[in-house]
Amino acid sequence: MSYIGKEDEVQQRPYWRWSKVDFLPEESFQNWNTYLSALSQIYSRFNDRLLSRSDDANEITQLRKQSENDMKRCLTWWDLTWFGFGSVIGAGIFVLTGQEAHHHAGPAIVLSYVASGISAMLSVFCYTEFAVEIPVAGGSFAYLRIELGDFVAFITAGNILLESIVGGAAVARSWTSYFATLLDRQPDSLRIPKGNYLLDPIAVAVLAIAATIAMISTKKTSQLNWIATALNTLVILFVLIAGFAHANTSNLTPFLPHGAKGIFQAAAIVYFAYGGFDNIATMAEETKNPSRDIPLGLLGSMSIITVVYCLMALSLTMMQKYTEIDPKAAYSMAFQSVGMKWAKYLVALGALKGMTTVLL
């Protein structure tokens, strides 16, 4: 929807437009004279960006008008809670738990998840407060434009893009590895050797499909997320029940093999398993009642996720001695050690579903 004329007047405009002004809307690019004039003002413009700050009205009203299309407010706290599960619970819990329990924390990996969970929750409180006050799609970029100015927001935007690119690539490559495991093949068997690198066309395809689904409809993405996350939850419940059914408390001794240092070394790594909750704040503009739904969705999902992570870590370290945990396939090998070799396929399936919702 494009805002033309009066502030409240709205006129429908198509998405597909090919004029110069659609690609280069700024006045600086209208002709060579305006471009050269803009170049001569680089210092003053940079100084303005460095010191200027946005305000609530600009973010909520003016910038939304410039975007030309309003987002549909179709999400509730229930949608956001499931989005929280879907965006956070992925391959991290299946990979990092065994890795850090084996190398750094031992059975105290549970305390590492507690420490990381508390740290993540503090960030959630910040995001919740800002998202309620400034319910726009910009997320932390919009918050920092108001609090610290355009230049800091610009640096932050670069970091957000880098986080999404690196994180998305890592998750997509893990998707290929777990898919190969599900087919009873080696993790790298579906990749194509090219010199010193392994090309991953399956990861590219998965990213493209996830992006397409997300662009089609937020509500449909939410419904798909419900289904995938519900199935992933069933797998996690199986891991917990089967793990505690084969638990041996003697495996928890010594509980702190590397002391407090090991706990916090592992906490710094397993924090990656909590990544993704910040994306919920960017859905504020698509939420029916941001002041109620965002706190319920964010805090509710993160509280439950922290408890689930701690229980999964405890089940693993009680099922198998930390020195015997396989850092590359912890849960699969742990189930195999107690005579449940077939369970590795279920774990791989759960990890795949988790990673798919993370990518969405």
Side-chain angles (χ1 to χ4, degrees), residues 186-237:
Q186 292 298 316
D188 288 333
S189 62
L190 299 178
R191 298 189 174 105
I192 302 172
K194 185 73 173 178
N196 296 325
Y197 303 96
L198 290 172
L199 303 182
D200 200 333
I202 293 179
V204 175
V206 168
L207 284 169
I209 293 169
T212 302
I213 293 172
M215 287 187 290
I216 289 173
S217 168
T218 299
K219 192 63 180 178
K220 286 184 174 61
T221 302
S222 175
Q223 292 167 351
L224 180 61
N225 179 66
W226 289 352
I227 298 169
T229 305
L231 293 173
N232 194 31
T233 302
L234 292 177
V235 173
I236 290 172
L237 287 175

Side-chain angles (χ1 to χ4, degrees), residues 80 83-89 116-117 119-128 163 271-283 294 297-299 301-302 305:
L80 295 180
F83 267 125
F85 274 92
S87 64
V88 175
I89 298 181
S116 293
S119 177
M121 192 62 74
L122 293 175
S123 298
V124 166
F125 285 138
C126 293
Y127 273 98
T128 299
E163 174 196 2
Y271 185 85
F272 180 80
Y274 288 96
F277 63 85
D278 52 318
N279 292 324
I280 306 303
T282 65
M283 295 181 173
I294 290 178
L298 260 176
L299 297 175
S301 61
M302 286 301 295
I305 287 167

Side-chain angles (χ1 to χ4, degrees), residues 34 46 67-68 112-113 158 161-162 180 184 221 251 254-255 275 284 303 352:
T34 56
F46 177 76
S67 71
E68 296 188 352
S112 299
Y113 272 109
L161 290 173
L162 182 62
D184 203 19
T221 302
N251 289 331
F255 188 71
S303 299
L352 276 177

